[in-house]
Amino acid sequence: MQKLTKHYADYLIMIVELIKGEIDFEGYFKKRGINQKVILNEVKFILNNPIMFNLFLSKISIGVRCMAMKAIFDLNNRQIVDLSYSLSQTYNSKTTIGDFINDYLDESISSNLNKKRTYNAELYYDLSIILDIPFRYLIDPVVLYKMTGSFDEYDREKIKLYKFKDLVVELLMISKNLTGNERKISGIKIKKEDFFEFGEDLKTRIDIREKHFTIEIHIENESDIEYSKILKLKKLLKVHCKVYIRDGFLRENKKLVFLVILDDSINPDISYLRNELLFENLLLMKDTLKEYNNSLFNKKPF
């Protein structure tokens, strides 16, 4: 995680001004000096405040949304191009993520879209999964801010269904064949029986690298997750694993994230997974609050 230098502090002030309506998107765009080469690493500093982060995402253009999520996931254009082509073969191979971002970069949220190129719908769906933001925030430049429970990008024939155990076996095998900065990101579904007795199969984003990978599961209600079941699933991994619960980006739901570390000599620096979001820490916090509330209830009056 970067240190909060004066440079980043100035950028964060601009974000606050945009959120509060003290400047509009065009003013922010010019003041920040946004172009294709800019890396918006300052957005990592507002991940601790999901409301602030979501409000920021809602007030910027589609292209800048892509740039913000690229920073969160430490992705570059080349990686995203490779990922999107591996996910779908239906759009023009000459199209690059740079073209897409550039066409949507300086588009005001209050003006009509004037793109230079036409993109296949599959590209929007694939980018939605890679960048982990709802499809509606990539397809509509004037979309009104609204948290969503929709997962259009996962409701496609090509999204495979796995049992948790089978998924782990496949991910371990894929990671062995990756080297350097190679990554594989895709959307899948996990059979509901592994987590819940009822409900739909679970929409899941997987991000595989050489020495670690994440299984990021969208869940409707974190209270439905049983600690004993999480422990059982962790044992299936048979490697070092941390479990987190965090808010989904621009979504109503929470995410249950398994971070699987294949090399114990590394400590992955993942900006959206912080120690206070560890499943064990959240359980401890809940127990502490429960005990405190019980003590207040049982406290005798003077």
Side-chain angles (χ1 to χ4, degrees):
M1 181 67 180
Q2 292 86 1
K3 292 179 65 175
L4 184 56
T5 62
K6 184 181 183 305
H7 216 53
Y8 284 127
D10 289 341
Y11 294 153
L12 290 174
I13 289 171
M14 296 176 201
I15 288 176
V16 172
E17 290 174 339
L18 175 66
I19 291 172
K20 293 172 68 175
E22 294 173 0
I23 57 174
D24 59 12
F25 172 71
E26 289 87 349
Y28 167 77
F29 188 90
K30 291 175 183 177
K31 195 172 182 180
R32 177 61 177 83
I34 290 178
N35 59 61
Q36 270 275 18
K37 295 181 180 180
V38 165
I39 300 176
L40 298 177
N41 274 331
E42 65 266 26
V43 299
K44 294 179 180 180
F45 291 102
I46 61 174
L47 279 173
N48 287 344
N49 189 329
I51 294 175
M52 185 178 181
F53 183 76
N54 286 336
L55 282 170
F56 171 66
L57 285 182
S58 72
K59 289 180 176 289
I60 55 182
S61 68
I62 290 172
V64 182
R65 280 176 198 146
C66 291
M67 291 173 64
M69 298 313 293
K70 276 173 54 184
I72 295 302
F73 292 114
D74 294 310
L75 286 164
N76 58 45
N77 285 358
R78 182 72 260 164
Q79 287 173 315
I80 297 175
V81 169
D82 292 342
L83 288 166
S84 59
Y85 291 160
S86 69
L87 285 170
S88 175
Q89 302 297 321
T90 58
Y91 34 84
N92 191 334
S93 61
K94 294 181 180 179
T95 299
T96 66
I97 187 60
D99 292 334
F100 181 89
I101 292 177
N102 205 46
D103 283 348
Y104 287 101
L105 193 60
D106 59 358
E107 186 58 42
S108 167
I109 60 172
S110 61
S111 65
N112 293 324
L113 181 63
N114 182 24
K115 302 195 305 293
K116 298 174 185 176
R117 285 164 277 263
T118 300
Y119 299 94
N120 189 287
E122 287 297 300
L123 176 60
Y124 294 90
Y125 285 128
D126 289 347
L127 282 178
S128 179
I129 291 173
I130 293 169
L131 300 177
D132 200 23
I133 53 177
F135 174 71
R136 70 194 297 266
Y137 285 95
L138 288 177
I139 198 71
D140 188 350
V142 292
V143 65
L144 295 175
Y145 174 48
K146 177 185 174 184
M147 300 292 278
T148 181
S150 172
F151 290 90
D152 294 336
E153 62 275 16
Y154 287 90
D155 293 328
R156 293 180 289 161
E157 188 176 341
K158 67 190 241 179
I159 301 296
K160 295 180 180 178
L161 180 64
Y162 289 87
K163 287 190 68 68
F164 188 82
K165 183 177 180 179
D166 295 337
L167 174 64
V168 169
V169 171
E170 184 166 320
L171 296 187
L172 289 170
M173 184 170 57
I174 292 173
S175 64
K176 289 180 181 179
N177 295 319
L178 298 181
T179 58
N181 292 324
E182 280 188 292
R183 288 170 79 169
K184 299 289 184 184
I185 300 176
S186 62
I188 57 104
K189 290 181 181 179
I190 295 178
K191 287 182 180 292
K192 61 189 176 188
E193 299 87 38
D194 290 338
F195 291 85
F196 310 110
E197 292 182 14
F198 306 104
E200 296 183 355
D201 295 317
L202 302 168
K203 283 79 172 176
T204 302
R205 177 184 184 269
I206 53 175
D207 185 347
I208 320 167
R209 294 175 241 201
E210 180 187 9
K211 296 183 178 181
H212 67 275
F213 60 80
T214 58
I215 303 172
E216 306 175 13
I217 305 164
H218 292 278
I219 57 175
E220 198 167 312
N221 191 335
E222 65 179 291
S223 64
D224 291 334
I225 297 293
E226 298 175 15
Y227 183 63
S228 59
K229 190 158 285 191
I230 294 300
L231 287 178
K232 182 179 178 182
L233 292 171
K234 281 182 71 173
K235 287 179 182 178
L236 287 175
L237 293 162
K238 297 181 180 178
V239 286
H240 186 191
C241 173
K242 297 180 179 180
V243 182
Y244 302 80
I245 293 181
R246 62 153 295 118
D247 293 289
F249 301 116
L250 289 166
R251 297 190 189 277
E252 298 167 346
N253 65 281
K254 298 282 188 178
K255 285 180 70 177
L256 178 68
V257 181
F258 291 83
L259 169 60
V260 181
I261 302 171
L262 305 173
D263 183 344
D264 285 334
S265 69
I266 67 165
N267 183 23
D269 182 16
I270 300 178
S271 61
Y272 58 98
L273 299 179
R274 308 180 310 278
N275 282 339
E276 57 265 38
L277 299 177
L278 280 166
F279 189 63
E280 294 87 346
N281 291 344
L282 291 171
L283 281 177
L284 181 61
M285 186 185 301
K286 282 184 178 180
D287 288 341
T288 302
L289 287 172
K290 186 177 180 180
E291 288 178 12
Y292 176 72
N293 289 332
N294 287 339
S295 68
L296 289 178
F297 181 78
N298 296 320
K299 189 175 181 180
K300 293 181 179 179
F302 293 108

